[in-house]
Amino acid sequence: MMIDPLSVFILLLGAATPILFAALGELVVERAGVLNLGVEGMMITGALAGFAAAHASDSPALGFVAAAIAGMAVSMTFAALTQFLLSNQVATGLALTLFGLGLTALFGKPYEGVKAPAIMPGPLGLNWMIWLGMALVPLIWWFLTRTRPGLILRAVGENHDAAHALGYPVRLVRILAIGFGGALAGMGGAYISIATVLQWTEGMTAGAGWIALAIVVFAQWNPWGVLAGAWLFGGVTVLQLRLQAAGVAVPVQLLSMAPYLATIIVLVLISARQKFGRSGAGAAPASLGRPFYALK
Amino acid sequence: MFRLEPRASAPLLWQVVTPLLAVLATIIVGGALFAAMGFDPVASIRTIFWDPLFGPAAGYSRPQLLVKAGPLILIASGLALGFRAGIWNIGAEGQYIIGAISGAAVALAAYPLEAHWIFPAMILAGAAGGWAWGMIPAMLRNWFGASEILVSLMLVYVAQRIAAWMAFGPMKNPEGFNFPGSRNLQQYESASNPELIANSGLHWGGVAAVLALAATWFIMSRHILGFHIRTAGAAPRAARFAGVRPERLVALCLGVSGALAGLAGLFEVAGPGGQITESFGSGYGFTAIIVAFLGRLHPLGILLAGLLLALTYIGGELAQMMLNLPAATVQVFQGMLLFFLLGFDILTRYRIRRRA
Amino acid sequence: MKRRTLLGSAAALMASSALPAFAQEEKLKVGFIYVGPVGDGGWTYQHDLARQAIEKEYGDRIETTYIESVPEGADAERALTQLALAGNKLIFATSFGFMDAVINVAKKFPDVKFEHATGYKRAENVATYDARFYEGRAVLGTIAGRMTKSNKIGYIGSFPIPEVIQGINSAYIHAKKVNPDVEMKVVWAYTWFDPAKEADAAAALIAEGVDVFMQHTDSTAPLAKAQEAGAFGFGQASDMTNFAPKPRVASIIDNWSPYYIKRVGEALDGTWKSHGVWLGIGDGEVVIGDITEAVPPEVKEEALALRDKIASGEYHPFTGPLNKQDGSAWLAEGQTASDEELASLNFYVEGITAPMPK
């Protein structure tokens, strides 16, 4: 039985969009040297806020705007704690996830069983958010590699002490990056509630935020890699379901481990390449996860 | 304006006061949240923090604190070693699951034989499973420089899928009417991990948790290894001159924390949990990270933090039952607690000075 | 006046505590533990509706409590014990995975009655109850068989457990009856609730040419996908009328209220006894939701006629001749499947080409 690759690809684009948004946001955050494990918490916040706004205004577009604002707002908790109060990023991120999941479950009660307005289809039958997600990839790549603010952001992520010595506002750059990451995670979450499911249910992001974190690593902190990673992770799910539908016996559990194992392998390869001195390309930002404090 | 000045060492007073401040702030803000939601704030707080300890059914819920806190403390005490050395094992959840599966595998292979060696063998297998799962990120970091944060996190998802595969495939109970899940080890005497004293809530996992706390305390404060760990965490470059071999430290910290998480999983599956199911990992490994930080990576602190988190879980259930507080409240509450703790932590590490 | 009633009731209260014989009927406390949040819109939501129904039915005579999102395993045992300690005398545990916990706790509280949904372990004070969802699936299968243009119908399974396998078989058998050319595509999502994944599963079926599908997972995500693609689907667990008249053309509803009302009533008048029951359409536990105008009237009539035949007991959805998927004989002409056999069903019937997951 043949499976039409184009149809798989189209399904994949939709499945990949929420994780693509969240992973692109996290990429920028990590490039600035910050590890925010709260992606899931920000996504679910965006999912609720976006859904509520879309429902109230009857406009999916407004929903996504609201989701971005809400995602950014909760990410500011993380920013305040890690940047001003210098708290541990791993623990703060986990707390953000816990907090986001709980808070949305509480405040989402009135929206249970309510339907969202339909999202407008864009060119080629794909909605505008799919297009926007793909457009963000070159934009972020261009920003990071071809613009001065992008260069500063990367400098901050590679060596915050040196960046500070050069007079760059390390803390401000990181706060902006965290806010951007929050906004994109929020939009990714809203894609699930507004475009995929058309309904709000608590816990509906169901681990997508963690997949986004994996994708950033898989991508070697490169936007194009994020696109490939989102397609791979989305693709494995879509493909295994598609194979099942076509009547092929699929070892589902084993197959669904594959993207995570692939991520580990990629991580090992890039780390090894760097360690054995060939090239530092694709390695983790050197200051990733380390707190910065200016001694003066 | 104010500015921060790092402290050379964290004063004991602040180490004790900041967690209390965090709990207090959580109670105040949480109370306000409950009030805003239309619940009686005083009753809510009392139900969560007081009733499990001294309420009408405290005779039951107090031992349950041990059941819930045991695995958290056991895992967190191992994690704290690594965290002190700047080695970030955030995949304890995966090591917990693999430990449980390895231990259960021994029991299921031996079933229905009744013999004294089975439970000790399960303990060994559980620890070995967790150790091995923890050694993967350790070796990948040592050989290739791969980030142990990310590898250990990825391995959580792999472990979860292995658990699901086991529950539906190799470990499915042949007498279970085709429902997923292994045999219940509680009903297999040689493999079960029952309460040691009736109604105490104490099983071997609790004993192991106390031993782990004592051992980590000894290592951290009385042994050269503790000095190495602290040096590596505080001043990685200086550590080499102090004779620290980072590779060894990575393998040790990840291996030990993996083994302890594996043990926690084994004691859970042989005891209160009973069986390997598709959703066996219920988040202890992640919550233990919170416990480790809440306890400021100190054995005594971890003991108290583990009990406090267990209290919020059990109190949260009581609050649902007595006051119809939604389950999500507990999550919000725990998230807030952690936020405040992390925020107030700055008082221990830094001195606040008025800018001259 | 107010003061007098207050005093009066205080006196009555004292009298009643002094003389238990005159005491008013004590409130029966009824507890529930749920595996998901009450807002899941599916399984737990339906159980909670039934909880509200008993409150309405018995008013002041009972008091209900629930604990939601209880993980299976050790936490379930604690939640059940807490409920028992809090004075609940009748406790409903609404997930298969609570089974061993219910049995353990029931041993410790012989005076508390337990009702466990979908399990198979019983005791003096532990009753089990389940729903014959496959009866409803037969009706949905009939509609699906008639409505499909592509002759491909689909089924989104949660986990390969007997309940879901019964549903797939029943739907297929009855679709095939009305449409001999029909083919069944099956996708296992390996989750009860993950909206994004369920949507992907629906999309995979649609891409395979399926134009009518059933789901055994709880979210509305598959219906949203059906809407986009112009396919048809069915409400699952709850009515999901948000998506009516199409893509949701009918639904299979878990209606626990009649059973809960009956059992609470028995507990109140002291006639409660342990049992294991498996109730279906005839008992009102499995309900076919409104069949919308998107379904042609003659198909609707046919579906309703089948429903009524099943309800009256005149027809059993698993009636021979039926072969297993591998072609070996299962049920002879006129023979019906026994409950024991259905309860551990692990094979497809002949004609389904999808492989059974291992």
Side-chain angles (χ1 to χ4, degrees), chain C residues 31-291:
Chain C
F32 291 80
I33 65 166
Y34 301 140
V35 69
V38 292
D40 71 354
W43 179 259
T44 295
Y45 174 74
Q46 289 300 121
H47 283 285
D48 200 56
L49 283 185
R51 180 187 66 81
Q52 294 165 24
I54 61 167
E55 277 198 329
K56 211 165 150 198
E57 178 80 18
Y58 296 106
D60 286 345
R61 298 175 67 198
I62 61 163
E63 191 185 319
T64 68
T65 332
Y66 67 84
I67 306 183
E68 63 182 335
S69 301
V70 179
E72 295 165 355
D75 296 300
E77 198 163 325
R78 185 180 55 253
L80 285 164
T81 310
Q82 297 274 32
L83 283 171
L85 286 173
N88 290 284
K89 291 295 169 209
L90 176 62
I91 297 174
F92 290 87
T94 65
S95 174
F96 171 78
F98 296 151
M99 182 164 65
D100 288 336
V102 169
I103 296 292
N104 288 347
V105 177
K107 272 186 210 142
K108 292 187 206 148
F109 295 92
D111 64 327
V112 177
K113 304 168 182 73
F114 292 86
E115 292 274 352
H116 178 226
T118 73
Y120 54 81
K121 291 186 184 168
R122 282 175 283 277
E124 219 22 31
N125 58 337
V126 181
T128 60
Y129 60 101
D130 201 349
R132 296 182 189 271
F133 296 115
Y134 67 85
E135 295 187 349
R137 301 284 167 198
V139 180
L140 302 194
T142 306
I143 299 173
R146 288 285 187 206
M147 296 289 285
T148 177
K149 300 264 183 311
S150 64
N151 289 332
K152 285 178 184 164
I153 61 171
Y155 203 105
I156 303 172
S158 47
F159 292 99
I161 58 173
E163 175 191 318
V164 182
I165 295 169
Q166 291 156 20
I168 294 172
N169 283 327
S170 175
Y172 174 74
I173 292 167
H174 295 88
K176 180 102 177 165
K177 249 182 203 149
V178 296
N179 180 354
D181 297 327
V182 85
E183 253 186 90
M184 169 80 99
K185 307 282 180 192
V186 182
V187 168
W188 297 97
Y190 284 90
T191 175
W192 287 108
F193 180 82
D194 177 347
K197 193 156 190 197
E198 292 170 51
D200 291 342
L205 286 172
I206 292 164
E208 192 57 31
V210 164
D211 59 353
V212 188
F213 61 81
M214 285 147 277
Q215 62 179 95
H216 218 125
T217 52
D218 282 350
S219 90
T220 49
L223 287 174
K225 274 285 165 254
Q227 187 158 36
E228 252 171 47
F232 295 118
F234 299 88
Q236 156 73 15
S238 68
D239 206 6
M240 302 188 177
T241 45
N242 267 344
F243 289 90
K246 58 181 184 179
R248 173 218 166 276
V249 293
S251 63
I252 172 166
I253 304 171
D254 314 351
N255 179 21
W256 305 102
S257 305
Y259 181 72
Y260 286 12
I261 289 172
K262 177 167 165 274
R263 295 300 271 174
V264 170
E266 289 172 359
L268 279 169
D269 62 25
T271 55
W272 189 96
K273 270 202 179 64
S274 170
H275 64 193
V277 290
W278 202 8
L279 305 173
I281 294 182
D283 313 279
E285 187 156 305
V286 178
V287 174
I288 301 298
D290 179 45
I291 300 175

Side-chain angles (χ1 to χ4, degrees), chain B residues 238-253:
Chain B
R240 275 189 190 268
F241 296 104
V244 175
R245 284 162 56 195
E247 279 85 10
R248 254 190 61 197
L249 213 54
V250 167
L252 186 97
C253 288

Side-chain angles (χ1 to χ4, degrees), chain B residues 5 14 30 41 47 69 99 112 124-125 129 135 150 168 172 178 191 197 210 270 279 282 293 306 316 344:
Chain B
E5 187 178 288
W14 282 116
T47 312
L124 284 179
M135 285 307 277
L150 301 165
F168 280 96
K172 188 158 87 174
N178 288 310
I197 306 161
V210 173
S279 57
S282 48
F293 278 100
F344 285 134

Side-chain angles (χ1 to χ4, degrees), chain A residues 210-270:
Chain A
W210 299 102
I211 295 177
L213 281 165
I215 289 172
V216 177
V217 183
F218 176 84
Q220 311 176 25
W221 292 271
N222 175 324
W224 296 103
V226 166
L227 184 66
W231 284 0
L232 172 77
F233 275 76
V236 166
T237 311
V238 166
L239 187 68
Q240 64 99 343
L241 292 168
R242 191 76 177 73
L243 285 170
Q244 282 196 50
V248 180
V250 187
V252 174
Q253 311 297 353
L254 298 178
L255 202 60
S256 57
M257 282 178 210
Y260 297 103
L261 292 174
T263 302
I264 293 175
I265 291 168
V266 167
L267 185 65
V268 166
L269 289 178
I270 52 178

